[in-house]
Amino acid sequence: MSDCIFCEIAVGRSPAAVEYEDERVIAFADLYPIAPVHILITTKKHIPSIAKLASEDESLVGHLVLVAKKLAENRQLEGYKLIFNVGEKGGQVVPHLHLHLLGGWDTKPTSLPA
Ligand code: AMP
Ligand code: ZN
């Protein structure tokens, strides 16, 4: 989708600090980080949100989570949060499926973000 910023990043038409990429997913630094480490892991396929997942996407989403785990290991994060915001009322602003990897705090963070 050409009017989707994450699709544009996935095909290299918009800039991003890419951390990882394969044929199914791409991970890049969040432009407005809310944690010392804040990486977005997104699917290259345009899926608007978790709410629009089809059963055929099951392994893709599993892969997305495993890439997040690998990135956390690479950053040697002892603990981290993985967050999907779902829908406008769930705080989702960019309507393209993405997983937030948040971590790197010195102290224990609150259990849930505001
Ligand atoms: P969400 O609220 O779950 O939709 O999160 C969208 C995230 O995308 C926010 O944390 C934004 O800071 C981030 N974001 C928006 N545009 C860009 C961009 N061009 N490059 C990197 N991150 C972005
Ligand atoms: Zn998209």
Side-chain angles (χ1 to χ4, degrees):
M1 271 180 72
S2 60
D3 60 345
C4 170
I5 182 62
F6 288 177
C7 283
E8 291 293 288
I9 289 172
V11 296
R13 278 200 294 261
S14 285
V18 175
E19 298 258 344
Y20 173 85
E21 181 173 9
D22 63 26
E23 68 284 355
R24 289 186 286 171
V25 304
I26 183 167
F28 49 87
D30 195 293
L31 205 52
Y32 305 101
I34 60 166
V37 175
H38 189 171
I39 299 169
L40 302 174
I41 304 98
T42 82
T43 54
K44 289 193 170 177
K45 174 183 175 184
H46 182 85
I47 300 170
S49 84
I50 286 281
K52 300 292 182 189
L53 277 181
S55 54
E56 69 188 30
D57 299 319
E58 185 173 351
S59 74
L60 176 58
V61 174
H63 180 59
L64 195 76
V65 174
L66 287 172
V67 167
K69 168 184 176 278
K70 194 70 192 161
L71 289 170
E73 287 169 359
N74 291 349
R75 294 296 196 108
Q76 297 181 309
L77 300 179
E78 286 178 26
Y80 50 91
K81 293 176 188 283
L82 295 178
I83 298 173
F84 285 109
N85 292 325
V86 184
E88 280 182 36
K89 290 192 174 174
Q92 186 178 1
V93 174
V94 177
H96 178 129
L97 188 88
H98 54 279
L99 179 57
H100 294 257
L101 167 61
L102 299 166
W105 303 279
D106 287 334
T107 54
K108 188 178 165 196
T110 53
S111 60
L112 283 173

